[in-house]
Amino acid sequence: MNTRYLLAGDKSIVVEFGNLISEEINKKVVSLMEAIENSDINDFIDEMTPTYRSLMINYNPLKIDFDSLLKEVKLLEKNIKSSGTIKKNIIEIPVLYGGEYGPDIENVAKHNNLSIEEVIKIHSEKEYLIYMLGFTPGFPYLGGMDERIETPRLKVPRTKIPGGSVGIASKQTGVYPIDSPGGWQLIGRTPLKLYNPDKESPILLKVGNYIKFIPITKGEFDKLSAENGGDN
């Protein structure tokens, strides 16, 4: 599919790279965003929002007109098509699996005819690409989960899921950055804060990076939780 450039309101451009969820397409999204961030036109950009297959660019029309911006973005996009691979940045997320922090891990195990230990091993041996962030601040939409642990969402969603909870919903896995409602099967919790409004960069994760879940003990969880000033 050829790259499409779409108007979005009076001060936004959406650049679409395809209609599929794939690492190759998402890497183009991230590459264009980084190319813009490192270019002169970044001074005219208010915000960029990457998704699975597109990049929304919000610009300041008082600083640059649409035609000029489109020309520059097309030039940058053309140059990234044949660029090399993006450096693989892996963020390790410690997780205490099961027990009170992962009350649905037995559901996942039973649904897939596995033991709890097998679920933990399968879930923690992968490296998951962060395709996009959304739903709540810093919530990562991840790719690459092993089909052996696919499990449907809960029939009745919970009204409150603690921040840091790691869950599975159908073919996806993710981490709830803050307390929120949700219907994902909870298999563990991380003591890390994925969203901290008191920090200069409040969101820990970044689109294009990878997550690697690391199983930890209750003692390690409590120690890390105290270090991160969390209530997890």
Side-chain angles (χ1 to χ4, degrees), residues 3 12 55 71 85 91 117 124-126 133 141 143 167 172 177 181:
T3 305
S12 298
L55 179 67
K71 179 181 177 181
T85 58
I91 300 172
E117 290 72 22
S124 61
E125 66 186 3
K126 287 274 190 173
L133 302 174
Y141 286 86
Q172 288 189 302

Side-chain angles (χ1 to χ4, degrees), residues 40-229:
D40 292 338
I41 63 170
N42 193 52
D43 293 336
F44 313 133
I45 305 301
D46 291 332
E47 184 181 16
M48 290 188 284
T49 306
T51 71
Y52 282 103
R53 61 187 183 89
S54 66
L55 179 67
M56 174 178 278
I57 305 166
N58 299 323
Y59 65 95
N60 187 334
L62 300 178
K63 294 182 178 180
I64 189 170
D65 63 83
F66 172 81
D67 290 333
S68 298
L69 178 63
L70 183 61
K71 179 181 177 181
E72 294 296 328
V73 171
K74 283 186 174 182
L75 181 61
L76 289 171
E77 189 271 330
K78 180 180 179 181
N79 290 334
I80 68 164
K81 283 184 177 179
S82 58
S83 65
T85 58
I86 301 173
K87 181 181 178 182
K88 196 171 186 179
N89 186 24
I90 301 172
I91 300 172
E92 293 187 347
I93 303 292
V95 178
L96 177 57
Y97 286 94
E100 63 177 301
Y101 295 152
D104 303 319
I105 198 167
E106 190 171 345
N107 295 345
V108 175
K110 287 183 176 179
H111 179 78
N112 293 286
N113 296 314
L114 298 168
S115 68
I116 290 176
E117 290 72 22
E118 287 173 322
V119 171
I120 295 171
K121 181 178 185 300
I122 293 169
H123 186 262
S124 61
E125 66 186 3
K126 287 274 190 173
E127 293 173 355
Y128 300 91
L129 173 63
I130 304 172
Y131 276 98
M132 58 181 285
L133 302 174
F135 169 53
T136 59
F139 185 98
Y141 286 86
L142 307 176
M145 193 182 78
D146 195 304
E147 62 183 14
R148 290 177 293 170
I149 54 175
E150 290 180 11
T151 309
R153 294 169 180 262
L154 296 173
K155 292 182 179 179
V156 179
R158 292 180 171 91
T159 57
K160 182 180 178 181
I161 290 177
S165 294
V166 178
I168 289 175
S170 188
K171 299 177 183 294
Q172 288 189 302
T173 186
V175 188
Y176 288 83
I178 60 175
D179 295 353
S180 65
W184 291 39
Q185 303 270 359
L186 304 184
I187 62 172
R189 195 182 302 176
T190 179
L192 299 187
K193 284 185 174 294
L194 274 62
Y195 175 70
N196 187 341
D198 296 326
K199 289 190 173 183
E200 183 177 351
S201 299
I203 295 176
L204 175 66
L205 305 178
K206 183 179 179 181
V207 172
N209 289 345
Y210 288 77
I211 280 179
K212 180 77 164 60
F213 295 108
I214 308 296
I216 59 174
T217 65
K218 181 63 164 62
E220 291 171 322
F221 180 94
D222 292 340
K223 182 175 183 294
L224 289 169
S225 183
E227 290 174 354
N228 284 277

